[in-house]
Amino acid sequence: MNIQLPALKYAKDALQPVLSEKTLEFHHGKHHQAYVDNLNKLIPGTEFEHMSLEEIIVKAPLGPIFNNAAQVWNHTFYFEALTAPGSCTTKPCDCYAKQWGSFEAFQEAFNKAAAGVFGSGWAWLVKTPEGALQIIGESNAGNPLRQGLKPIFCFDVWEHAYYLDYQNRRPEYLSKLWDALDWSVINARC
Ligand code: MN
């Protein structure tokens, strides 16, 4: 199976001023593309060749095939949930306020977890098999599907996600990214 880079559903300058056109050009056009290309070079002739990305993520041993498959999936999931800042007319599901007391308290907890990921990685909001929401940080290509958790949304905290726009100011990137979330997509995953 040849893995394809999914097109963005918005123009590369649509996420300004939260994320610049330059960031999208590199992040989607170079980084995401490179994970797709790497995976397409790694899987031919292996047991993973005809598996879905999700199957590879769950079954591959830690290493290059897992890393590239998870990074393809993670980035697709991240970009899908973004939209032009301020354009989303759908309200977040009230599940966050129910579990954290208020939406703001949830945001604060999520940002804290995302800021606390040491080095490259991802912050995830997931649903457990029991139906509870949980915030988790993952290093590098980490993906919660591997632990049987259902991903709801993620913030990419690799420096390549924010360095061109925010340099070392990860907390500022995190606080601004909320303005670019598409809750119609995220609520449908919840
Ligand atoms: Mn990234």
Side-chain angles (χ1 to χ4, degrees), residues 27 31 35 71 75 122 156 158 160-161:
H27 200 183
H31 291 278
Y35 297 124
Q71 284 293 77
H75 282 89
W122 298 82
D156 187 343
W158 284 61
H160 68 224

Side-chain angles (χ1 to χ4, degrees), residues 111-124 136-140 155 157 170:
N111 286 349
K112 193 175 166 197
V117 173
F118 184 75
S120 298
W122 298 82
W124 295 89
I136 57 172
E138 292 268 6
S139 292
N140 302 312
F155 282 13
V157 297
R170 187 193 288 185

